[in-house]
């Protein structure tokens, strides 16, 4: 009896609570609609299947001029959008929420700034919402002016982040960029999380995420399938973490290329951990140009990696010279030091499982290789572990047999 009464009271309590919760939710919903910090493109004439360029610029201006937190919202739907730069500095922290799919114009020539969507000089920034930036790359790939040595340099990058600090980019998709998907320059403390990057394996120069002159960058739990490097880390990168990234198709995760230009800044502190490469051209790679300007790359660590059918799983290439653009016989002047490769397993698609080809002018220093198990099934096997101008320190078990074992 006592327990029954208690039960009844509790049910009544629950009813009262539910009633007041519903009232509260309605109130909150009403308040959210009228919330001054939310800048929905529909308020500015943005419509599904329409061109939202002007609406999104107005929404951004409103949000950026708002003190405290504010939010730009592109709701579910399909939209067209021309080249846009979202500039700061803004008066408060800003969130850009894309729930729908935004499509770039097709063809070339439309993009004077070299990019489609640029986020510029913003401190305290979030890009989220689960939506998609569709770069419409299929409209330009394979055209005659853009194949082989012709670099397609005049095609736009889909998403540029220039001088962004304290940023979070999560849960968005970049589809079919015309050139790079995502480029970072001069950024500090920016995290990419659960981002999807998708383009066909034969799409030219569609690097996934390229970064340069940036520090404190984390790329986590991200899926990259594209036609060039999944992640490429250029000069002036410091304190970079790439973790739980899957790559393939693509050209792998690269540091470089370095040394092509004068006044390049050092690359210091890169960790690539817990990543999987599938059917990629390279696994992890450090690449520098021969006949190059001087520079350094140090404190570079690659650990717990799985390679599935990768052409060159572990590669230092200091004679990187695609399309014979350089005098390959003059050695690179980029000094590489304090590098480790540890616990790298899987299968190679050529016999060149481990290739450490360092510069004759500045041999690699303090390179450690521990626990490698890479199998190769081809008739010209077995797999090899090649060293040129480097004398690595070995640890753990090794397959293939390392260069220093005669
Ligand atoms: C880095 O950026 C994130 C995201 O904006 C922020 O929450 C965090 O406090 C920042 N960290 C530092 C050290 O400023």
């Amino acid at each position: 009896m006592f327990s029954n009464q208690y039960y009844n009271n509790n049910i009544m309590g629950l009813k009262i609570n539910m009633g007041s919760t519903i009232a509260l939710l309605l109130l909150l919903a009403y308040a959210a609609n009228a919330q001054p910090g939310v800048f929905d493109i529909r308020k500015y004439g943005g419509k599904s299947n329409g061109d939202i360029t002007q609406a999104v610029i107005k929404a951004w201006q409103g949000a950026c001029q708002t003190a405290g937190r504010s939010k730009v919202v592109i709701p579910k739907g399909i939209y067209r959008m021309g080249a846009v730069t979202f500039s700061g500095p803004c008066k408060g922290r800003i969130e850009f929420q894309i729930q729908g799919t935004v499509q770039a114009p097709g063809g070339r020539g439309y993009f004077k700034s070299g990019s489609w969507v640029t986020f510029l000089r913003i401190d305290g920034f979030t890009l989220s919402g689960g939506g998609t930036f569709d770069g419409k790359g299929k409209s330009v790939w394979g055209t005659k002016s853009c194949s082989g040595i012709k670099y397609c340099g005049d095609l736009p990058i889909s998403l540029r982040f220039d001088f962004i600090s304290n940023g979070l980019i999560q849960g968005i998709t970049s589809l079919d960029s015309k050139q790079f998907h995502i480029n970072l320059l001069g950024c500090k403390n920016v995290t990419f999380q659960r981002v999807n990057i998708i383009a066909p394996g034969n799409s030219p120069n569609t690097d996934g995420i390229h970064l340069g002159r940036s520090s404190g960058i984390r790329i986590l739990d991200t899926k990259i399938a594209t036609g060039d490097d999944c992640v490429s880390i250029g000069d002036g990168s410091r304190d970079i973490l790439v973790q739980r990234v899957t790559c393939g198709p693509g050209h792998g995760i690269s540091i470089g290329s370095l040394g092509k230009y004068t006044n390049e800044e050092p690359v210091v502190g890169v960790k690539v951990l817990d990543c999987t490469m599938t059917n990629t051209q390279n696994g992890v790679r450090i690449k520098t140009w021969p006949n190059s300007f001087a520079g350094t790359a140090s404190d570079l660590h690659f650990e717990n990696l799985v390679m599935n059918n990768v052409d060159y799983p572990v590669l230092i290439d200091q004679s990187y010279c695609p399309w014979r653009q350089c005098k390959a016989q003059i050695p690179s002047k980029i000094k590489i030091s304090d590098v480790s490769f540890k616990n790298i397993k899987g299968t190679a698609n050529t016999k060149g499982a481990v290739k450490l080809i360092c510069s004759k002018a500045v041999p690699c220093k303090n390179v450690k290789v521990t626990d490698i198990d890479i199998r190769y099934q081809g008739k010209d096997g077995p797999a090899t572990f090649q060293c040129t101008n480097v004398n690595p320190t070995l640890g753990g078990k090794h397959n293939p047999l390392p260069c220093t074992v005669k």
Side-chain angles (χ1 to χ4, degrees), residues 238-307:
R238 287 170 186 267
D239 183 20
I240 309 299
L241 173 63
V242 179
Q243 191 167 24
R244 295 183 302 275
V245 167
T246 62
C247 167
H251 294 185
I253 296 176
S254 290
I255 295 174
S257 55
L258 301 174
K260 194 173 189 188
Y261 304 101
T262 183
N263 296 323
E264 287 186 0
E265 292 173 14
V267 174
V268 185
V270 176
K271 283 186 180 149
V272 177
L273 311 176
D274 314 314
C275 294
T276 300
M277 321 280 166
T278 303
N279 300 323
T280 54
Q281 192 187 73
N282 307 284
V284 285
R285 156 168 82 150
I286 303 168
K287 54 180 173 175
T288 78
W289 292 83
N291 190 25
S292 63
F293 295 99
T296 65
S298 60
D299 193 12
L300 315 172
H301 305 283
F302 306 89
E303 199 170 323
N304 301 335
L305 309 174
V306 175
M307 304 288 167

Side-chain angles (χ1 to χ4, degrees), residues 167 169 189-193 211 215-220 239-243:
I169 290 96
N189 181 28
V190 174
T191 297
F192 287 79
Q193 202 165 281
L211 47 107
S215 62
I217 309 302
R218 284 168 291 270
I219 302 170
L220 312 174
D239 183 20
I240 309 299
L241 173 63
V242 179
Q243 191 167 24

Side-chain angles (χ1 to χ4, degrees), residues 64 67 143 179 239 305:
C64 191
T143 51
Q179 208 216 109
D239 183 20
L305 309 174

Side-chain angles (χ1 to χ4, degrees), residues 38-350:
V38 176
F39 296 83
D40 189 314
I41 57 156
R42 287 173 294 194
K43 282 188 204 162
Y44 302 93
K47 287 191 185 79
S48 199
N49 300 311
D51 185 325
I52 59 167
T53 314
Q54 293 312 315
V56 78
I57 288 171
K58 284 182 195 140
W60 176 264
Q61 285 166 347
C64 191
Q65 292 312 310
T66 300
R69 285 174 175 262
S70 59
K71 199 187 318 191
V72 171
V73 177
I74 300 178
K76 287 213 160 88
I78 294 175
Y79 309 93
R80 285 176 281 120
M81 189 173 81
V84 188
T85 297
F86 299 107
S87 300
C90 297
K91 290 192 173 154
R93 204 186 154 90
I94 196 159
E95 178 169 357
F96 195 108
Q97 216 178 69
I98 169 173
Q99 297 163 4
T101 294
V102 174
Q103 300 172 331
R108 56 168 69 228
Y110 186 94
F111 303 89
K112 293 198 177 73
S113 66
S115 57
W116 174 35
V117 181
T118 305
F119 295 97
L120 177 66
R121 287 186 224 288
I122 309 161
D123 183 1
F125 173 67
T126 301
L127 174 60
S128 63
T132 297
F133 292 93
D134 179 353
K136 292 281 168 193
K138 288 191 174 98
S139 65
V140 294
W141 299 328
T143 51
K144 251 192 195 159
S145 55
C146 182
S147 60
I149 189 168
K150 286 194 180 130
Y151 170 68
C152 313
D154 59 336
L155 290 175
I157 292 168
S158 267
L159 301 171
R160 273 195 85 108
F161 298 89
D162 290 349
F163 310 100
I164 304 297
S165 334
N166 305 315
L168 175 64
I169 290 96
Q170 67 176 1
I172 58 146
T173 295
S174 174
L175 175 68
D176 291 347
S177 55
K178 292 192 177 76
Q179 208 216 109
F180 292 5
H181 287 265
I182 292 172
N183 191 86
L184 276 75
L185 176 71
C187 293
K188 283 191 184 126
N189 181 28
V190 174
T191 297
F192 287 79
Q193 202 165 281
R194 297 190 309 279
V195 169
N196 290 308
I197 294 175
I198 308 164
N202 62 358
S203 57
N205 299 305
T206 52
D207 292 45
I209 302 178
H210 176 76
L211 47 107
R213 311 231 164 172
S214 294
S215 62
I217 309 302
R218 284 168 291 270
I219 302 170
L220 312 174
D221 302 294
T222 284
K223 288 185 191 160
I224 306 176
T226 195
D228 208 302
D229 290 332
C230 286
V231 176
S232 57
I233 297 169
D235 85 289
S237 299
R238 287 170 186 267
D239 183 20
I240 309 299
L241 173 63
V242 179
Q243 191 167 24
R244 295 183 302 275
V245 167
T246 62
C247 167
H251 294 185
I253 296 176
S254 290
I255 295 174
S257 55
L258 301 174
K260 194 173 189 188
Y261 304 101
T262 183
N263 296 323
E264 287 186 0
E265 292 173 14
V267 174
V268 185
V270 176
K271 283 186 180 149
V272 177
L273 311 176
D274 314 314
C275 294
T276 300
M277 321 280 166
T278 303
N279 300 323
T280 54
Q281 192 187 73
N282 307 284
V284 285
R285 156 168 82 150
I286 303 168
K287 54 180 173 175
T288 78
W289 292 83
N291 190 25
S292 63
F293 295 99
T296 65
S298 60
D299 193 12
L300 315 172
H301 305 283
F302 306 89
E303 199 170 323
N304 301 335
L305 309 174
V306 175
M307 304 288 167
N308 298 316
N309 197 34
V310 171
D311 292 355
Y312 300 103
V314 176
L315 180 61
I316 295 178
D317 183 4
Q318 292 215 260
S319 49
Y320 177 76
C321 186
W323 321 113
R324 298 191 195 146
Q325 288 175 62
C326 49
K327 292 180 180 156
Q329 65 281 11
I330 303 174
S332 169
K333 290 201 237 357
I334 304 287
K335 284 185 196 164
I336 295 176
S337 61
D338 305 315
V339 180
S340 68
F341 298 100
K342 188 175 177 187
N343 190 27
I344 302 177
K345 303 205 151 77
T347 54
N349 194 34
T350 76

